[in-house]
Amino acid sequence: MSKTTHAKIVIIGSGPAGYTAAIYAARAMLEPVMIQGIQPGGQLTITTDVENYPGFADVIQGPWLMEQMEKQAAHVGTRLVPDHVNMVDLGRRPFRIMCDSGDVYIADSLVIATGAQARWLDLPSEQTFRGHGVSACATCDGFFYKGKDVIVIGGGNTAVEEALFLTNFANKVTVVHRRNAFRAERILQERLFRHPKIDVIWNSVLENVLGSESPRKVVGAAIRNVKTSAVTEIRADGIFIAIGHSPASELFAGQVEMKPNGYIKTAPFSTATSVPGVFAAGDVTDDVYRQAVTAAGLGCMAALEAERFLAAQHVESVAAE
Ligand code: NAP
């Protein structure tokens, strides 16, 4: 039977932003409820080595870091709910949050920490071979390419990290990038350029995924040089798309103000959205830094701002009585 639960603060999303908000809110005695979503732990659960989260001299693993954050949030008193939100009503307070299980949460304040998800090129052939040789997650699927040839599309940190990770399995990794320079961190670029298994094709884009139908599998890629328009075909068993991320903000469309690129708008130096009592933290709002540590910082800010908001509401209601 579905239940309706009232909470002072509900946090949607369980990445670094969500867990940090939960830890601060729990320690402020707000008894937070966190609805964890489909991929508890967020994007860090599908990465491997984390070398830039402060506090760890040794390389740590993304999934391990998220487990620690989850344990800490639970330990200080967060109620963790393994459910997925399918609708919110932010038109009046308290807010209503509806989940796939049928359960409803009535929230005095809300932290949106739904993060971001991998972007696709939206080529019809990419769609046809998704799950059959086309992937957006080397950590999830790299293992299937032992001794095979793979292509990585993109030039940011994700693309370079995925290419390096894939060398653990693949025979050869070809990175295809639309410009003649990567935007990835220098240290990662240097590792990539030094790696004997990795080649780079510059100024080029994926024109088409080449594959066979039975069994459905990738056999190569048609690559177009953006300067000359020449199309060449290269053989490959797998293609990894690593062209960035889009914010997971659809649930809030038309209810909170957003930037034209779909990121939730917040007040300067604040996590306050256009709806009083609704705060946004992490990759769903940050289109600039997008780091685990900045997401955690924003999560902290969101909880502190929610706490102040709830205290002010309380003062107002006492004064009104
Ligand atoms: P990103 O930095 O936005 O890079 C996306 C890459 O894909 C860019 O090189 C871009 O090309 C290319 N691209 C975008 N649209 C394309 C298209 N339609 N066709 C072909 N290429 C396309 O995304 P990201 O690498 O996923 O990283 C996202 C954020 O997470 C960044 O802030 C990154 O620093 C962070 N991150 C950090 C780490 C780490 O610190 N270890 C690891 C992973 C991600 P252009 O360069 O030409 O724009």
Side-chain angles (χ1 to χ4, degrees):
M1 244 220 353
S2 58
K3 295 187 304 284
T4 299
T5 307
H6 173 260
K8 291 183 206 124
I9 178 167
V10 168
I11 298 158
I12 308 179
S14 56
Y19 283 130
T20 310
I23 291 162
Y24 274 78
R27 298 191 77 254
M29 311 301 275
L30 295 177
E31 298 162 334
V33 170
M34 171 189 281
I35 305 168
Q36 291 178 294
I38 286 170
Q39 186 190 36
Q43 290 179 65
L44 272 181
T45 58
I46 54 164
T47 59
T48 48
D49 296 353
V50 176
E51 293 178 75
N52 53 8
Y53 199 86
F56 304 96
D58 297 325
V59 176
I60 54 166
Q61 299 296 302
W64 177 85
L65 180 61
M66 298 322 298
E67 264 172 46
Q68 299 306 306
M69 287 193 199
E70 180 180 24
K71 280 187 192 156
Q72 189 177 356
H75 175 74
V76 291
T78 307
R79 186 171 150 213
L80 301 170
V81 180
D83 209 340
H84 173 252
V85 176
N86 57 39
M87 211 192 295
V88 294
D89 179 1
L90 309 182
R92 66 201 148 94
R93 280 203 305 271
F95 310 118
R96 286 175 72 81
I97 296 141
M98 279 68 83
C99 293
D100 286 356
S101 64
D103 290 350
V104 176
Y105 294 85
I106 309 287
D108 296 333
S109 67
L110 176 68
V111 174
I112 302 172
T114 44
Q117 64 233 345
R119 281 181 50 213
W120 297 92
L121 288 164
D122 292 331
L123 297 170
S125 57
E126 173 195 62
Q127 185 66 34
T128 307
F129 291 102
R130 252 168 87 166
H132 300 274
V134 173
S135 166
C137 177
T139 320
C140 320
D141 300 328
F143 186 75
F144 302 120
Y145 296 92
K146 250 186 179 153
K148 305 214 162 151
D149 293 353
V150 296
I151 295 172
V152 175
I153 311 290
N157 274 343
T158 305
V160 173
E161 279 191 345
E162 298 221 329
L164 287 165
F165 177 72
L166 286 164
T167 60
N168 293 323
F169 315 97
N171 172 52
K172 185 178 169 206
V173 179
T174 305
V175 180
V176 175
H177 182 37
R178 65 180 176 184
R179 291 186 298 123
N180 63 356
F182 287 134
R183 67 169 65 233
E185 284 168 21
R186 279 262 167 249
I187 188 166
L188 292 173
Q189 292 194 32
E190 275 164 24
R191 272 181 220 163
L192 181 139
F193 292 135
R194 274 201 310 266
H195 206 291
K197 281 190 183 176
I198 305 179
D199 281 341
V200 182
I201 302 181
W202 300 111
N203 299 315
S204 297
V205 293
L206 179 66
E207 178 90 343
N208 230 336
V209 177
L210 307 174
S212 65
E213 263 316 315
S214 46
R216 188 176 287 192
K217 64 171 187 171
V218 168
V219 298
I223 306 293
R224 179 169 50 85
N225 183 302
V226 292
K227 298 240 149 118
T228 64
S229 296
V231 177
T232 47
E233 291 188 1
I234 50 177
R235 219 203 62 72
D237 305 288
I239 301 177
F240 290 83
I241 312 293
I243 58 161
H245 293 86
S246 328
S249 60
E250 306 82 12
L251 201 54
F252 312 98
Q255 303 204 55
V256 296
E257 258 183 59
M258 294 192 195
K259 299 182 197 174
N261 58 6
Y263 285 79
I264 294 178
K265 224 182 202 174
T266 51
F269 306 106
S270 163
T271 61
T273 69
S274 56
V275 178
V278 178
F279 304 87
D283 283 13
V284 74
T285 178
D286 173 14
D287 54 349
V288 179
Y289 301 106
R290 298 178 291 192
Q291 303 299 305
V293 68
T294 47
L298 289 166
C300 160
M301 284 167 63
L304 295 176
E305 290 185 292
E307 187 189 350
R308 274 182 223 142
F309 170 82
L310 292 171
Q313 292 299 112
H314 180 68
V315 169
E316 263 178 39
S317 64
V318 169
E321 276 166 19

